[in-house]
Amino acid sequence: AVMGLTLLGLSGMPLSLAATAGALLTALLIYTFAYRRGLSSYRLVLVGIGVGAVAAALTQFFWTRAHTHDAASAALWLSGSLNGRGWENIEPVALMLLVLLPATLGLGKQLNVLELGDDSATAIGVPVQRARPLLLVAGVALAGAGIGAAGPVAFVAFVSAPVARRLSRSPGPALLPAALTGSVLVCVADLIGRTALSSTEVSVGVITGIIGAPYLLWLLATTNRSGQGD
């Protein structure tokens, strides 16, 4: 997306498509490097950190070489902002939701079984090697479309899922409640960012970071105390 902003001047639908394509390519690299006769969560995280560092370096490279106006646009986008967003930004997200949301909800039923491990899931009858890539593609494509529209709004994914699970009291992944929780969080954060300071507006990503970082630390601390974290 930063390449599209700084080199090609993309916006709207083309920018969302660029972000989605980049997200899918990055996910493919991570999956390929992390897969060794199965997929280990530990290895997936380590490879993801490495690929993320390379992507961040490339982002900084294109950002610093951009013209002043393009660099300012990229900086605003990287902070996660709803400022100036219109229907041209909503359309690609709506299209992705129309196509992928039903598929994601259908595939999401297999997430509980996949949490048991590859061997147990296979024994139950879940096609692990087909289900996991499909879930990955659906999740990454939806995230890429959203990021293309509003930029990387920090901590929404980390906060929404645990909060939604607690509210819905669901033992497994609560996909639809998590999506609704994330939507409410972004709207509230945007309202705070626009009204908290009378002299200026604060990007929604800054507000979600302020809200989400302490919550994530609290969640990690309570999880480790209860013996569920490693």
Side-chain angles (χ1 to χ4, degrees), residues 27 31 35 44 46 51 54 90 96 114 116 143 148 159 179 184 201 207-209 219 221:
Y31 191 90
Y35 189 87
L44 185 69
L46 289 179
V51 174
V54 173
I90 295 175
M96 283 290 183
L114 289 174
L116 300 175
V159 172
V184 172
E201 292 187 10
I207 302 300
T208 57
L219 186 66

Side-chain angles (χ1 to χ4, degrees), residues 69-206:
H69 176 74
D70 294 334
S73 298
L76 181 63
W77 180 85
L78 285 168
S79 68
S81 175
L82 299 181
N83 183 41
R85 299 303 189 266
W87 286 107
E88 69 276 7
N89 304 107
I90 295 175
E91 289 171 357
V93 180
L95 181 61
M96 283 290 183
L97 288 172
L98 181 64
V99 174
L100 291 178
L101 186 58
T104 303
L105 293 176
L107 291 168
K109 298 176 182 178
Q110 300 176 345
L111 284 173
N112 284 338
V113 182
L114 289 174
E115 289 181 351
L116 300 175
D118 289 2
D119 293 338
S120 299
T122 302
I124 294 174
V126 174
V128 175
Q129 302 307 322
R130 184 181 64 186
R132 183 181 286 118
L134 289 175
L135 281 164
L136 182 65
V137 168
V140 169
L142 288 170
I147 290 172
V153 182
F155 286 106
V156 173
F158 284 112
V159 172
S160 300
V163 170
R165 184 175 290 190
R166 290 171 182 269
L167 292 175
S168 64
R169 302 187 183 277
S170 172
L175 295 182
L176 192 56
L180 295 174
T181 302
S183 301
V184 172
L185 175 62
V186 171
C187 290
V188 171
D190 181 57
L191 180 62
I192 294 173
R194 288 189 289 109
T195 59
L197 300 177
S198 59
S199 58
T200 185
E201 292 187 10
V202 181
S203 295
V204 64
V206 175

